[in-house]
Amino acid sequence: VSSAEILEVIQGSLAETHGLKPGDHIVSINGRTLRDILDYQFCVADNHLVLELVHESERRFVRIENPGFESLGLRFATSLFDGIKTCANKCVFCFIDQLPPGMRDAVYVKDDDFRLSFLYGNFVTLTNMRDDDIDRIIDDRLSPLYVSIHATNPELRARMLGRKKTDTTLERLKRLSDADIELHIQMVMCPGLNDKRELDGSIEYLANGYDGITSVGLVPVGLTGYRQGLYPLRSFEKQEIIELVEQAGVWQDKFESEKGSAWLYIADEFYITGGFELPPSQHYGDYPQIENGIGLSRLFVDEAADMLDSIPEDEHSSDNTTPESRIASVTGELFAPILSEIAQTLAHKTGVVIDVIPVRNSYFGGKVNVTGLLTGSDIVTGVEAWLENHTRPDIVLVPDIVLNADGLLLDGYTPEKVEKEIGAAVHITECSGSGFVDKVMEIVKK
Ligand code: SF4
């Protein structure tokens, strides 16, 4: 039987005044067992609560009257009390299958859990679900959901998902759509598989008859250097990317006039690698595919531009900075040209040297070039290589996106270890346009 393990009890909360403690397990509330945090939230929306608790095999019941529907003040060890649902696929492009060995166990978990989709925007395939899971989504209005489809041609989808038989995903999608569950679709684009005519077919299919689909996002397959024995995949050539962006552009124009939004969105990486300008913010509307990273670059640039506008030119004065003040920011190779432009404007306004150090991802190898997957050793190697032709900065900015919840980089490095090895102070910056400009201004004003 699943139970909710209490991790933290907020001081002064109802839970604390009723004697709940970290390590207690809630087995049921008002007789209802709890599968996950969603069940918990439904159950506590009552003003008379009877909690069944177990602590080290001792069972007790706690009655809480909550006329004001206050939060009980509990934090749990996990959101999924009955365990995570893992995937039933063997996708040809699976990123987890291409991870280097020796990372933390949690990184290798192939989650495919609709509750994580609702709670955190994780993409799910719907292939491991039972009919009562679909009923629950509809009854409990777990909307929006984020669904990976990749292709609507059943044979192609089965091949891409590494399944022997075709699945019932589209029927399930239809049920959800007809029940007004808001759906955001992801297609991982693999050259020679689901692009070109297959892509047109998929878009046409999804755009007709699935009113619940609010957006479709196309993202490029990510290929690391650890693909031995896996399905032979390659990344897109630049010319193919140009064609894909143009092909998608025709659909976007059509949907703009028919649906009032682009509806189909393409990954920032496609625009940047294809040499296209990033679309303006109006294109993204309320950024429906931000969970997929689509539009993050536009947001970053616009936020930085807004901040830069508010910095007067005349702050370029020597009394608030020393002439030898040098700042450098590390970033992935993909984003480096965009960040460099922002850094140049900022340097011009502040009088501080702000360099951008594009860091190559050796840890994952292959074609991985995004900032979020940079490791401590990559940063150290990247900075050292860059120093061969540049002056050592006083401060190196590292975006927080490379840190996990424990403050560690993917390879277990701490920011302090990076700092020691590169011989410059490391400052962690929020990975956003305003975060970047704010951090530089904070350093400049010191
Ligand atoms: S659904 Fe596919 S891509 Fe996702 S974890 Fe499973 S095998 Fe990997």
Side-chain angles (χ1 to χ4, degrees):
V1 180
S2 62
S3 65
E5 184 186 348
I6 298 173
L7 187 70
E8 193 187 335
V9 179
I10 310 294
Q11 268 193 352
S13 65
L14 274 177
E16 194 195 42
T17 51
H18 286 80
L20 274 67
K21 301 247 170 353
D24 283 346
H25 289 247
I26 306 179
V27 177
S28 71
I29 297 180
N30 292 347
R32 187 171 157 182
T33 53
L34 308 177
R35 293 163 292 186
D36 45 51
I37 193 83
L38 300 168
D39 276 346
Y40 169 78
Q41 283 160 354
F42 279 109
C43 286
V44 294
D46 195 327
N47 28 43
H48 313 286
L49 303 172
V50 178
L51 277 62
E52 180 186 2
L53 297 156
V54 170
H55 192 106
E56 290 169 0
S57 74
E58 274 199 28
R59 189 169 300 268
R60 69 188 200 277
F61 290 86
V62 170
R63 183 178 293 278
I64 300 178
E65 295 301 322
N66 188 10
F69 297 104
E70 263 176 66
S71 157
L72 298 191
L74 292 173
R75 273 192 53 225
F76 297 100
T78 167
S79 315
L80 307 177
F81 310 144
D82 61 358
I84 195 166
K85 292 181 199 296
T86 52
C87 89
N89 312 314
K90 228 185 159 324
C91 299
V92 294
F93 50 80
C94 180
F95 197 75
I96 294 170
D97 286 341
Q98 311 173 60
L99 290 176
M103 299 180 74
R104 285 178 306 122
D105 287 350
V107 179
Y108 298 99
V109 175
K110 294 183 168 186
D111 69 85
D112 194 4
D113 195 310
F114 65 93
R115 299 165 301 176
L116 297 181
S117 184
F118 173 69
L119 288 167
Y120 308 115
N122 293 17
F123 281 89
V124 288
T125 65
L126 309 182
T127 52
N128 62 350
M129 293 175 67
R130 299 181 315 246
D131 287 341
D132 57 353
D133 292 327
I134 302 284
D135 294 341
R136 181 181 177 198
I137 293 172
I138 294 170
D139 294 345
D140 291 353
R141 308 304 307 158
L142 303 185
S143 172
L145 284 187
Y146 299 82
V147 183
S148 290
I149 294 291
H150 312 308
T152 55
N153 166 349
E155 282 78 33
L156 174 61
R157 194 173 58 259
R159 194 160 139 222
M160 291 187 73
L161 293 182
R163 298 175 70 86
K164 291 205 177 64
K165 285 192 287 186
T166 56
D167 56 61
T168 53
T169 303
L170 294 177
E171 288 85 334
R172 288 178 174 159
L173 198 69
K174 181 78 177 138
R175 265 198 74 199
L176 296 172
S177 169
D178 287 349
D180 286 333
I181 299 296
E182 185 181 324
L183 299 161
H184 298 279
I185 306 296
Q186 175 196 54
M187 297 173 70
V188 173
M189 299 307 301
C190 301
L193 282 177
N194 57 346
D195 56 347
K196 299 196 162 65
R197 279 172 55 191
E198 289 292 350
L199 175 61
D200 280 333
S202 298
I203 297 171
E204 175 137 42
Y205 188 93
L206 294 173
N208 294 295
Y210 290 85
D211 292 343
I213 298 180
T214 316
S215 73
V216 174
L218 309 183
V219 296
V221 58
L223 299 176
T224 75
Y226 295 86
R227 289 203 53 84
Q228 293 78 3
L230 299 179
Y231 189 94
L233 277 181
R234 62 175 179 86
S235 47
F236 284 97
E237 303 289 343
K238 183 167 178 183
Q239 185 53 34
E240 290 173 315
I241 292 178
I242 294 171
E243 286 166 19
L244 188 139
V245 172
E246 287 169 352
Q247 179 186 0
V250 175
W251 286 106
Q252 289 169 330
D253 291 346
K254 178 174 148 70
F255 297 138
E256 285 280 2
S257 58
E258 287 175 4
K259 295 180 188 280
S261 78
W263 191 78
L264 175 69
Y265 299 89
I266 41 188
D268 300 5
E269 190 175 336
F270 280 135
Y271 290 117
I272 299 170
T273 318
F276 292 87
E277 289 281 315
L278 294 171
S281 60
Q282 303 86 285
H283 166 78
Y284 295 105
D286 56 1
Y287 289 82
Q289 287 273 334
I290 205 77
E291 313 290 346
N292 216 351
I294 297 183
L296 274 177
S297 305
R298 167 50 65 204
L299 270 182
F300 194 106
V301 170
D302 285 0
E303 265 188 38
D306 280 351
M307 301 274 299
L308 286 166
D309 282 349
S310 64
I311 302 170
E313 285 294 328
D314 61 4
E315 279 203 29
H316 176 191
S317 59
S318 52
D319 52 319
N320 57 12
T321 175
T322 51
E324 64 272 21
S325 236
R326 297 187 80 92
I327 302 172
S329 180
V330 295
T331 188
E333 289 175 306
L334 182 71
F335 197 60
I338 296 177
L339 191 62
S340 292
E341 268 189 46
I342 297 168
Q344 266 177 24
T345 316
L346 193 51
H348 178 72
K349 288 206 165 189
T350 57
V352 179
V353 177
I354 308 167
D355 288 311
V356 169
I357 307 179
V359 175
R360 191 177 162 65
N361 196 315
S362 314
Y363 187 83
F364 287 94
K367 305 274 182 186
V368 175
N369 59 5
V370 294
T371 309
L373 292 176
L374 288 179
T375 62
S377 54
D378 284 332
I379 293 175
V380 171
T381 314
V383 172
E384 276 169 358
W386 183 84
L387 281 176
E388 288 174 14
N389 306 308
H390 298 83
T391 311
R392 189 178 299 276
D394 305 302
I395 293 168
V396 171
L397 305 181
V398 173
D400 60 1
I401 194 173
V402 302
L403 300 177
N404 64 24
D406 302 325
L408 298 175
L409 287 100
L410 271 170
D411 58 353
Y413 264 63
T414 57
E416 292 72 30
K417 186 169 177 191
V418 173
E419 187 167 81
K420 209 165 153 228
E421 294 188 17
I422 61 175
V426 164
H427 286 219
I428 303 297
T429 59
E430 190 193 299
C431 190
S432 67
S434 54
F436 176 73
V437 177
D438 259 347
K439 178 54 88 175
V440 171
M441 294 311 292
E442 186 189 308
I443 296 168
V444 167
K445 284 182 176 150
K446 265 191 189 155

